[in-house]
């Protein structure tokens, strides 16, 4: 949604958008999200608990965001190359 009111500057768009994913890559998105939801809800409510997410690839970023939204304290573990991905997701 666009903010209400006048702005002095117009929103800027990236010079070149990210490339579109292939059909195979796009098909994995709902599966990864569903897998994260199933894993986080299979043992009952997690509000107020600590959750460890092992891995920042695949369903890891989904799991981090969903666990945070459910009220859990999230710790992420992975290789140091993926540290920024996990931080941006909320771990």
């Amino acid at each position: 949604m666009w903010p209400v009111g006048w702005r002095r500057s117009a929103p800027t768009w990236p010079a070149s958008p990210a490339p579109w994913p292939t059909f195979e890559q796009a098909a994995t998105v709902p599966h990864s999200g569903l897998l994260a939801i199933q894993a986080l809800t299979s043992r009952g409510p997690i509000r107020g608990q600590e959750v460890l997410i092992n891995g920042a690839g695949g369903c890891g970023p989904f799991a981090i965001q969903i666990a945070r939204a459910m009220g859990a304290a999230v710790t992420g573990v992975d290789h140091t190359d993926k540290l920024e991905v996990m931080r941006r997701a909320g771990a």
Side-chain angles (χ1 to χ4, degrees):
M1 292 183 63
W2 294 98
V4 177
W6 293 96
R7 296 176 61 131
R8 290 182 176 249
S9 62
T12 58
W13 302 101
S16 62
W20 284 95
T22 64
F23 286 112
E24 291 81 11
Q25 292 170 332
T28 63
V29 173
H31 182 265
S32 298
L34 181 61
L35 182 63
I37 290 172
Q38 288 176 337
L40 291 169
T41 59
S42 65
R43 296 188 179 245
I46 61 171
R47 180 173 298 283
Q49 296 185 16
E50 295 179 2
V51 176
L52 175 68
I53 306 295
N54 187 6
C59 66
F62 285 106
I64 292 169
Q65 294 176 36
I66 293 168
R68 291 280 310 239
M70 296 173 105
V74 179
T75 302
V77 178
D78 202 337
H79 194 271
T80 55
D81 293 343
K82 298 180 182 178
L83 181 63
E84 188 59 31
V85 173
M86 298 185 90
R87 282 189 181 153
R88 282 185 296 181

